[in-house]
Amino acid sequence: MAKNPSLIVSAHHAFPRYQQIARQLKQAISEGELLPGSRLPSSRTMALELGVARATVENAYGELVSQGWLERRGQAGTFVSPSVTATASSQNVAASQPQGAPLPFQMGLPALDAFPRALWARLMGRRLRLQTRYDLVMPEFKGESTLRQAIADYLRFSRSIECLPEQIFITAGFQASMRLAVRALAKPGDGIWLEDPGYRYIRPVFTDAQMVMHPVPVDEEGMQIDYGLAHAPQARFALLTPAHQSPLGVALSLERRRQLLDWAATQQSWIFEDDYDSEFRYHGKPLPPIKSLDGPERVIYAGTFSKSMFPALRVAWLVVPQRQIEAFSQAAGFLPCTAPLLIQQTLADFLREGHFWRHLKKMRQCYSERRVWLETALQNEGFEVVPQAGGIQLVMRVKGNDRSLVARARAAGLAVQALSDWRMIPQGEGGILMSFTNVTSAEMALGYASQLRKAIM
Amino acid sequence: MAKNPSLIVSAHHAFPRYQQIARQLKQAISEGELLPGSRLPSSRTMALELGVARATVENAYGELVSQGWLERRGQAGTFVSPSVTATASSQNVAASQPQGAPLPFQMGLPALDAFPRALWARLMGRRLRLQTRYDLVMPEFKGESTLRQAIADYLRFSRSIECLPEQIFITAGFQASMRLAVRALAKPGDGIWLEDPGYRYIRPVFTDAQMVMHPVPVDEEGMQIDYGLAHAPQARFALLTPAHQSPLGVALSLERRRQLLDWAATQQSWIFEDDYDSEFRYHGKPLPPIKSLDGPERVIYAGTFSKSMFPALRVAWLVVPQRQIEAFSQAAGFLPCTAPLLIQQTLADFLREGHFWRHLKKMRQCYSERRVWLETALQNEGFEVVPQAGGIQLVMRVKGNDRSLVARARAAGLAVQALSDWRMIPQGEGGILMSFTNVTSAEMALGYASQLRKAIM
């Protein structure tokens, strides 16, 4: 068997050096000093220049190749990857974006620049030092009790939801939350109301469980409960985003909340309340979650840290009624929480020490500002932005085929989405969806809006 | 809405202090200084003794309450939790075990004392410092490319498996791996051969997918392929632990490996090779994985870091044939990898820098020694240990009902398991299963063996 050269090299050279070199190269690429498609010096030349071993440079190059920043072309040498650029357009603001950098308008991301990474790293470092050998074992199936306690405290304090830690189940994300809820409560053939338009990537969870999906239209008061009552009253579930409907951003009205709860109580059906972005409200007083009004105990509340913290964390949670703890615990035995213990512990600290609350407060301010920047810029370019009270995305009304407009925008490296792609039943007006979370200045907003107009008008 | 007192307190007092106190209390409990059920001083008294604010002590108590070390009994005060003890027996070696500490003989755990936690913490700390804002986004669906590259290198070096990083899919554990494989390749009604006895907690994955399970008996040469060929030749899958059959510890013979591969090639069936503990072999030369002989490309190889690193990590992986990359990529779009980015990055460093290889080498030595300690101790007590060449568990032959013997042992706090509970079809001889990984001395082995004899003989 041939020995692995990278293992041998790494045993003889100090590690940080090649990684420092890799970082410097990344920075040079992302700052445009090294252009996409340009050739790098040979590892021999670079090694002489830097005064390091050639293998060190090879390792740095190898790391960046595996991350997609560089590519090797045999005898021709090593090049800055052209795919670092999303398109070949010179107008494209996505040029020289490093791997993982959001494209303009990219949805589903919090403000990456605003997360307190140094604080998070400090808390995690402390946890790492405090861990004992007993922290190496499999985490609890329903998640760590310290984190469940911290979430219960946060929900009481911030969301007016009273629950015991035992009612909370930690998961590896919203999809995992829904899989757990479906395993605990659903059987094949059960009907579920889904908002139309709505978040499409959750639908496989219900088709996998052989459930029947009933699209229910959304208007300016949220899901049209009357429609559900008329067309599929026997459904056993309803999934909603009542705070700011995803993607339209409207809030479910108080009357409809009552209607929905009445239906659930009468039919003994279950409401899945997806409260993914309710922290972000910029005008007026937000309605409390349906869960906080849940006298009949028919609401399964789903929260996530993907938006309020960051998506790489992979942590979400459910709050279930007390009488359903047993069913969910059994389900969690089959679908145990896969969030690593260290992550759960650090997150618990982040919540308990008040950092989460402070971060959310800061983000509300930040998003409120960024939202206005982008909304104003889009209006200046003649776009019609639909007014919304909260959330982390914008909708623009457009005439004509929103899919073909979006295709043109995407070809220009702009990551907007077509409202039609979020619909189950093709109907209603077209729209363009986008996020403002990573629009970090009024100037950037103006640039983005101008590019969008040029791309699609 | 009432303000959350814990948030207020934590904003005004230094955090580490209460956690230091909590740690000291934990230590006092786990070392037997504070006995289960005993009452702690009031927070006021304790605060005066330690010279800290009362709120600090309250916080420390609160932390330990939420972790299950302490419990509050209203006016009566705060007590060391009696549940820290597994049973009330004074002979019970599990007495005063902290949360998460393994019970004697507990299966499915690596040696918790032998993992290089300080090194791991250092690597993770470095990764934390190197992370950029772009490391906050959702990880790649199939796992990070740096980790996939590192695993490919390890497999080539250590397991004689040649594969590209593109063939590797990272998951949050063996169960998640099997869910991904089933989504990529199986349809309702597909048959699967399962080793009998075998790992039962994986079976829900196949019943969820409406597959038909065919138990295939295991003898001293592993799964009886002839039996499968005679009873369910049309099956589309076979799941095996060929290195050391779980739980019997036998290796699948070379002849049966050939038979199995022939069947898969002829039937166009798939072999799921669960290679969970193959690194741990103490006598003779191990057979290479079936995957390394996989000319016809019918093997899906499943590895995990739960045993070779630690279970709290929640990282495993699959190696799939090149022609199946597309099917698995599509499946991963529905069941994306939920291992947090930071964990994947740190693990990649651990592998690339040679620490993984060194750790495995150390563990082989450690397990070889612990195995002999426990085997010898059990033989001294008159137990019949089945000889095995590797793995991380032991099997003892027993006469009579193994389930009732095991129930008695478990009542005494000994976490052995009954072989009958691992069988799908009730047949064959009884046995007692146990792990030696956390038997840290010959004396401990003698103590455990003696307790087991007293409990069940």
Side-chain angles (χ1 to χ4, degrees), chain A residues 111-117 120 308-310 350 359 362-363, chain B residues 136:
Chain A
L112 299 180
D113 58 317
F115 185 75
R117 286 185 295 112
W120 177 254
S308 53
M309 296 280 290
F310 55 91
F350 196 84
H359 176 58
K362 192 179 79 177
M363 295 318 293
Chain B
L136 301 176

Side-chain angles (χ1 to χ4, degrees), chain A residues 131-389:
Chain A
Q131 279 199 323
T132 73
R133 66 180 65 167
Y134 306 121
D135 293 315
L136 301 177
V137 305
M138 178 85 185
E140 289 180 55
F141 278 14
K142 60 189 290 185
E144 283 310 293
S145 54
T146 47
L147 179 56
R148 289 188 278 111
Q149 178 70 61
I151 291 173
D153 290 344
Y154 151 73
L155 289 172
R156 187 182 322 111
F157 181 71
S158 178
R159 311 292 304 129
S160 308
I161 293 173
E162 286 288 340
C163 68
L164 300 170
E166 291 73 30
Q167 291 173 260
I168 295 179
F169 288 75
I170 312 291
T171 72
F174 177 60
Q175 200 206 80
S177 290
M178 284 296 103
R179 287 198 188 274
L180 183 66
V182 159
R183 178 173 269 278
L185 301 175
K187 53 185 193 309
D190 279 355
I192 181 165
W193 296 355
L194 296 178
E195 294 167 329
D196 189 19
Y199 181 62
R200 61 189 144 158
Y201 297 106
I202 201 62
R203 295 176 204 152
V205 173
F206 308 119
T207 49
D208 281 0
Q210 300 174 273
M211 296 167 69
V212 179
M213 297 189 288
H214 301 287
V216 178
V218 175
D219 62 20
E220 60 287 342
E221 287 185 55
M223 182 187 257
Q224 296 180 23
I225 308 299
D226 276 339
Y227 183 99
L229 293 173
H231 291 78
Q234 79 298 346
R236 300 236 26 250
F237 300 91
L239 169 62
L240 299 93
T241 48
H244 315 110
Q245 199 272 334
S246 173
L248 295 176
V250 297
L252 189 70
S253 67
L254 192 57
E255 196 193 320
R256 291 199 183 164
R257 286 167 192 245
R258 292 217 182 92
Q259 243 186 323
L260 182 70
L261 277 166
D262 284 349
W263 164 76
T266 310
Q267 282 286 326
Q268 294 290 290
S269 295
W270 298 106
I271 299 165
F272 293 156
E273 176 172 32
D274 175 7
D275 203 37
Y276 73 109
D277 73 345
S278 61
E279 288 291 354
F280 305 122
R281 175 111 185 166
Y282 318 111
H283 309 293
K285 198 170 144 45
L287 289 169
I290 304 181
K291 181 70 195 168
S292 69
L293 312 168
D294 184 23
E297 305 221 321
R298 308 304 303 174
V299 178
I300 315 295
Y301 176 94
T304 176
F305 291 111
S306 288
K307 307 297 183 293
S308 53
M309 296 280 290
F310 55 91
L313 199 58
R314 307 314 307 140
V315 182
W317 75 89
L318 290 174
V319 182
V320 313
Q322 287 198 47
R323 272 173 300 209
Q324 268 54 55
I325 292 175
E326 183 53 33
F328 276 80
S329 297
Q330 281 189 19
F334 290 105
L335 291 172
C337 172
T338 59
L341 189 55
L342 177 72
I343 301 278
Q344 295 188 56
Q345 291 170 330
T346 308
L347 196 45
D349 291 346
F350 196 84
L351 266 69
R352 287 189 298 190
E353 292 172 47
H355 304 301
F356 186 60
W357 185 81
R358 281 190 288 275
H359 176 58
L360 287 175
K361 190 174 163 194
K362 192 179 79 177
M363 295 318 293
R364 268 188 291 270
Q365 175 66 32
C366 163
Y367 287 158
S368 174
E369 190 172 52
R370 292 181 180 190
R371 194 189 152 77
V372 169
W373 287 337
L374 189 60
E375 196 168 0
T376 311
L378 290 166
Q379 284 162 345
N380 285 347
E381 295 286 348
F383 289 110
E384 185 188 353
V385 181
V386 180
Q388 285 173 23

Side-chain angles (χ1 to χ4, degrees), chain A residues 77-99:
Chain A
T78 303
F79 291 78
V80 178
S81 176
S83 66
V84 170
T85 315
T87 76
S89 158
S90 65
Q91 286 184 2
N92 177 12
V93 288
S96 300
Q97 294 269 15
Q99 189 192 37

Side-chain angles (χ1 to χ4, degrees), chain B residues 14 34-35 49 69 74 90 94-95 157 203 247 306 318 337 379 451:
Chain B
L34 279 171
L35 291 176
E49 273 181 26
W69 291 76
S90 64
F157 181 71
R203 294 176 204 153
S306 289
L318 289 175
C337 172
Q379 284 164 344
Q451 284 183 57

